[in-house]
Amino acid sequence: MKKFNIFLSTLAVAGTLTSCDLDSVSMTEQNDTNFPLDATDAASVLAAIYQNNNNINANPQYSFLYAAMLASDDQFGGGGNNDYIMQSLDVLGNVGTDATRDFYSARYEGISRANSFINMVDGLSMEDEDKNQAKGEALFLRAFYYYELASMYGIIPLVTNPPEYKIPETHAEIWGQILLDLYTATQIMPDKRHTDGHVDKYCAEAMLGRAWLFYTGFFCNGESIADLTSTTYNPLQSVTLADGSTLTKSQVVDAIDDCVNNSGYDLEDDFRELWAYTNRCTLQDIPEGYMGITADDKANLKWAEDDNAVGKESMFAIKFNKLAAWSTTIGYGNGFALHFGVRDADNSTGTAFPFGQGWGAGPVATNLVTDWQAQEPDDKRFAYSVIATSNFTKRSTDYTQETDFQATKISSVIAKKDDGSFADQFEAIMYGTDGYINDNLMQTGAMHDLILIRFADVLLMQSELKEDATGMNRVRERAGLSNVGYSLAALQNERRWELAFEGIRWNDIRRWHIAADALDKQQNVKIYVGQKERQNSPQLGGYKVRYNATAGFFKIPETEINLNNGNLKQNEGWGTDAQFSAFN
């Protein structure tokens, strides 16, 4: 059975934050006056803070990560004819009044758990190094959860010392707290790489770079919609943090350099070894030539997670296990693999082998295929990241925005059994079926990690911050490409190809102030709707119109607006004209 170190611990935690009134309430009889007291108790609380990521995974279609993938210029919404949430995220439209409230509420629960721990950790009976490590983890997670909320909704309630909270007047207040949490974590956490699922100092340094690049780029012109949608890009060089201190670009560069030089993280030898389709139960049955697979590859490729192995590139990932059940613990299975699996694939006959059946979210946008093949025709990563589904499945009568291209990185993956039939998930063979609490493995059985931060991203951040091609060329070398000199355009392309379909592109195009034009390239490209060829026609006025109206912020759930007595303001661009009902 697959084992995980942090997500199965006791979820006995201190007060949690309700999205309704932002008050701290007790989840159990234990509270922050008597719990936690020592390292063992602290581990339980930390497990509960991490577990928030699995709560989000219970309804991935409402999450920031999901929205970031579908809203970007590299993927469409997809799904069936009635999967309006997928399609609405793609076109920056709204469904109902509270479409993403599950995500909003769940993230505040995670923030509350982090707040409770951060505000009591200094009094714990622990060795100083262990205490700093634990506090740094909680700071990282609070910052990460706020990063997603602030990226998705803009100005939202800020609470660090419940029951006190405030509705910030500016975005700068929220991002000043996010960056302070991350910088503090980099300063207090020990210089040790962790391989047990816990974040470490180097993860905090990587996330500091990500948050810094987004904030200093996206808000470089100011905070109005006009400022955020301006095409002027001149990143800030320093930021005032929540405690009044100043964080400079050079300090962030030092953190990223430390991560690159001292962390022990590195690139996997082969790009494909990051992704589950190279697992030992599947690889040998992939036809030679498919996705560049050769006989030598079958002898030498090894998935970084084979048999619970720890890879050298993944830095922060959501872990999963066999305890996923629809009615209770669905978040313990990799729901993203289900959502982004191949629509209408037949697992019983392996029609999409090595990829499994799913709901068809995020078909690859035709404009990405065109751009990638035109600008980097020798890039091996294209064949490793994109498959042509027209080679093995018929177009579906119940599929919207089908493009004949699907992303591979987080899809479900199947494997052939000894008798020639196929398992719904390769994990059922690698880890056995004992211990699964749900026998619908097609929907609940995927367990491979969902990678959120990896070392290649850090190398690319280093190149961007230092305007030096060294890190970027390390990434290119693995892809079989020659070195290039540094330019922002080259860096932008490299991030697009390397990090495609990982939820990174959305905030990249926003912070570079190229989003409106990039999104507009999706307009009128060829798609299929219910097997019929058509153009990807404008919805709600078109991608550019919707982006310029919203700057990429989504609608705050109306219930949250109402519960805050008018103190929390709805984002611009979310009137009745933003209501999405069906793909026209």
Side-chain angles (χ1 to χ4, degrees):
M1 178 177 177
K2 199 171 189 186
K3 302 173 184 177
F4 299 104
N5 295 312
I6 61 178
F7 292 104
L8 301 182
S9 299
T10 302
L11 299 185
V13 301
T16 188
L17 188 71
T18 68
S19 68
C20 300
D21 57 13
L22 297 174
D23 286 337
S24 182
V25 297
S26 179
M27 289 183 65
T28 71
E29 293 181 0
Q30 292 167 316
N31 58 65
D32 59 12
T33 64
N34 62 18
F35 180 81
L37 299 175
D38 57 23
T40 300
D41 295 332
S44 295
V45 180
L46 279 174
I49 303 171
Y50 280 101
Q51 190 258 354
N52 185 256
N53 286 310
N54 295 88
N55 289 351
I56 298 299
N57 184 71
N59 293 289
Q61 69 272 26
Y62 307 132
S63 69
F64 170 70
L65 177 60
Y66 200 98
M69 287 191 277
L70 302 192
S72 81
D73 57 328
D74 288 347
Q75 289 177 276
F76 291 137
N81 299 331
N82 295 320
D83 286 330
Y84 300 146
I85 187 66
M86 297 178 187
Q87 295 139 32
S88 69
L89 293 172
D90 170 55
V91 301
L92 287 175
N94 179 59
V95 176
T97 59
D98 282 337
T100 60
R101 191 175 181 228
D102 282 351
F103 168 73
Y104 185 104
S105 302
R107 274 295 182 241
Y108 271 110
E109 290 175 359
I111 288 167
S112 179
R113 295 174 182 184
N115 284 337
S116 295
F117 186 75
I118 292 165
N119 292 334
M120 71 177 70
V121 65
D122 289 337
L124 298 183
S125 299
M126 300 171 64
E127 296 293 330
D128 286 345
E129 182 174 296
D130 295 336
K131 186 182 298 184
N132 286 334
Q133 169 63 28
K135 185 175 182 178
E137 290 181 58
L139 286 167
F140 172 95
L141 291 167
R142 181 170 73 179
F144 181 78
Y145 298 163
Y146 266 125
Y147 172 90
E148 291 200 334
L149 285 168
S151 293
M152 189 159 186
Y153 300 114
I155 293 179
I156 36 88
L158 180 62
V159 57
T160 58
N161 187 28
E164 298 175 8
Y165 80 98
K166 65 183 296 186
I167 308 294
E169 295 183 3
T170 66
H171 296 274
E173 293 179 66
I174 299 171
W175 287 94
Q177 185 64 56
I178 293 169
L179 290 167
L180 175 62
D181 282 355
L182 291 169
Y183 185 69
T184 302
T186 69
Q187 298 305 293
I188 67 173
M189 296 175 86
D191 298 333
K192 293 181 179 179
R193 179 188 172 195
H194 280 257
T195 59
D196 57 358
H198 289 256
V199 296
D200 52 35
K201 170 186 177 178
Y202 308 110
C203 297
E205 290 173 336
M207 192 64 209
L208 177 67
R210 181 179 293 183
W212 170 270
L213 283 168
F214 180 71
Y215 177 72
T216 58
F218 190 48
F219 294 97
C220 67
N221 303 311
E223 295 200 354
S224 72
I225 291 292
D227 295 330
L228 300 176
T229 58
S230 165
T231 57
T232 300
Y233 177 60
N234 186 23
L236 304 173
Q237 300 298 299
S238 65
V239 174
T240 301
L241 302 182
D243 64 354
S245 63
T246 299
L247 181 67
T248 66
K249 179 180 177 179
S250 63
Q251 290 173 292
V252 177
V253 169
D254 287 344
I256 293 297
D257 281 347
D258 181 55
C259 183
V260 170
N261 297 329
N262 301 315
S263 67
Y265 291 100
D266 201 352
L267 297 177
E268 298 293 348
D269 297 334
D270 190 294
F271 181 78
R272 291 168 291 185
E273 293 179 323
L274 284 160
W275 316 114
Y277 57 78
T278 57
N279 77 82
R280 64 171 176 80
C281 301
T282 300
L283 178 62
Q284 300 306 315
D285 293 309
I286 298 177
E288 290 184 21
Y290 189 59
M291 304 180 70
I293 299 290
T294 66
D296 285 344
D297 288 335
K298 290 187 177 187
N300 297 311
L301 283 179
K302 182 176 176 60
W303 180 44
E305 294 178 43
D306 260 347
D307 301 305
N308 280 321
V310 176
K312 57 187 177 181
E313 184 164 346
S314 175
M315 301 179 69
F316 177 45
I318 302 177
K319 303 286 185 179
F320 304 99
N321 56 52
K322 294 181 176 182
L323 304 181
W326 276 110
S327 60
T328 52
T329 54
I330 189 59
Y332 288 119
N334 187 340
F336 281 84
L338 171 63
H339 279 255
F340 288 85
V342 180
R343 194 169 185 86
D344 277 8
D346 184 348
N347 283 359
S348 66
T349 58
T351 56
F353 186 83
F355 302 102
Q357 180 182 356
W359 293 345
V364 176
T366 317
N367 47 287
L368 170 65
V369 174
T370 302
D371 289 350
W372 200 339
Q373 292 183 331
Q375 296 181 46
E376 206 72 83
D378 297 324
D379 191 343
K380 299 177 182 179
R381 291 168 299 188
F382 179 80
Y384 301 166
S385 305
V386 180
I387 54 171
T389 56
S390 59
N391 292 338
F392 49 75
T393 61
K394 295 180 180 179
R395 295 192 185 99
S396 172
T397 58
D398 184 23
Y399 199 177
T400 299
Q401 294 179 293
E402 186 175 10
T403 64
D404 288 340
F405 296 102
Q406 196 76 18
T408 65
K409 290 181 177 179
I410 61 173
S411 175
S412 62
V413 175
I414 62 177
K416 186 178 289 188
K417 301 178 184 178
D418 290 340
D419 64 5
S421 64
F422 292 89
D424 279 321
Q425 305 290 348
F426 78 89
E427 289 97 330
I429 297 178
M430 181 171 288
Y431 304 114
T433 55
D434 289 346
Y436 278 106
I437 65 171
N438 190 320
D439 60 3
N440 184 354
L441 298 188
M442 189 280 284
Q443 295 193 5
T444 64
M447 294 193 297
H448 49 283
D449 285 2
L450 184 62
I451 300 173
L452 302 178
I453 303 176
R454 58 186 179 91
F455 188 69
D457 190 5
V458 180
L459 291 172
L460 294 173
M461 287 192 284
Q462 183 186 51
S463 278
E464 185 171 3
L465 287 163
K466 300 174 77 169
E467 299 184 49
D468 175 272
T470 303
M472 179 170 63
N473 282 329
R474 280 182 65 181
V475 174
R476 288 178 60 83
E477 181 181 5
R478 179 174 65 175
L481 300 173
S482 59
N483 286 354
V484 295
Y486 181 82
S487 69
L488 179 60
L491 183 281
Q492 288 172 337
N493 279 338
E494 200 58 40
R495 287 185 64 83
R496 190 182 187 190
W497 316 142
E498 173 69 23
L499 303 172
F501 322 123
E502 297 179 49
I504 305 299
R505 174 72 174 171
W506 175 236
N507 269 2
D508 275 357
I509 60 176
R510 294 171 77 195
R511 68 182 177 86
W512 290 323
H513 292 263
I514 62 172
D517 287 339
L519 294 169
D520 201 48
K521 292 180 68 175
Q522 297 175 106
Q523 210 73 36
N524 297 320
V525 299
K526 184 174 72 173
I527 60 170
Y528 297 88
V529 177
Q531 294 182 324
K532 295 181 180 179
E533 182 179 330
R534 56 180 290 184
Q535 291 181 318
N536 192 42
S537 57
Q539 306 288 313
L540 307 177
Y543 291 102
K544 194 169 190 174
V545 168
R546 287 300 299 149
Y547 184 79
N548 285 334
T550 63
F553 291 124
F554 286 85
K555 182 176 182 176
I556 298 172
E558 290 183 19
T559 296
E560 303 302 329
I561 301 291
N562 296 335
L563 287 169
N564 280 274
N565 300 317
N567 295 317
L568 181 62
K569 304 298 183 183
Q570 185 57 264
N571 288 321
E572 294 183 50
W574 291 99
T576 56
D577 58 344
Q579 192 69 16
F580 180 87
S581 57
F583 198 86
N584 299 318

